[in-house]
Amino acid sequence: MAAKRVNPNSVKLHYSYSVTELARCCAVHKNTIGNWQADGLKPIDSARPALFQGAAVRDFLRQRNASRKCPSAPGMIYCVRCRQSRRPALGMVEYVARTPTSGNLRALCEACEAGMNRSVRKADLAKVMPDWATSK
Ligand SMILES: [Zn+2]
């Protein structure tokens, strides 16, 4: 199972954290901090116990979260029930504007018929739903 995504903003920029404090702050196990170090999170110095600067932790988590994103392919929407990207049933997709420049695509999953949503910028509609955009 994929590890959960920690919100980088849960870490205070100007604080220094011990392993225990950081684990509590991010709601992860202490061993997870060790994994983060193996993945490139640097303590302030090599002194023991290790201390981590909030700003460094935030940068680390941001990069890590960004590198783990895997957006659905064009024409696909992530179905929460199936836990994978699916095509819209009958190719029917509805665009619901949230703001003048962005909105949600709504469709039913072709496999389980659950409702699916995909947030999209209006400018990216043709890229995200190529078939749909050309049929308009
Ligand atoms: Zn589904």
Side-chain angles (χ1 to χ4, degrees):
M1 202 179 101
K4 72 176 165 187
R5 214 163 269 176
V6 175
N7 181 358
N9 296 330
S10 58
V11 179
K12 291 200 163 71
L13 271 183
H14 302 290
Y15 270 42
S16 297
Y17 294 88
S18 70
V19 169
T20 311
E21 288 164 344
L22 188 56
R24 189 173 303 143
C25 169
C26 297
V28 297
H29 193 271
K30 274 197 287 189
N31 293 352
T32 300
I33 309 299
N35 294 338
W36 289 357
Q37 278 186 267
D39 286 349
L41 176 64
K42 298 251 183 297
I44 291 170
D45 53 32
S46 56
R48 297 271 158 186
L51 283 178
F52 299 91
Q53 203 189 358
V57 176
R58 230 189 236 199
D59 284 347
F60 171 80
L61 289 175
R62 281 224 177 93
Q63 271 184 22
R64 184 182 160 89
N65 288 349
S67 72
R68 287 148 57 96
K69 270 198 163 173
C70 45
S72 296
M76 310 283 272
I77 300 179
Y78 185 79
C79 173
V80 177
R81 196 189 283 170
C82 296
R83 298 189 179 203
Q84 54 178 285
S85 293
R86 297 289 196 187
R87 293 199 168 281
L90 308 172
M92 284 178 18
V93 182
E94 183 187 9
Y95 175 76
V96 183
R98 259 181 307 142
T99 71
T101 54
S102 70
N104 283 325
L105 289 169
R106 291 207 308 216
L108 297 179
C109 170
E110 66 172 357
C112 73
E113 299 188 341
M116 308 186 293
N117 283 287
R118 180 169 181 177
S119 172
V120 66
R121 285 188 307 166
K122 207 172 181 184
D124 290 343
L125 269 176
K127 220 169 25 180
V128 173
M129 283 286 149
D131 304 339
W132 182 78
T134 52
S135 68
K136 287 285 148 178

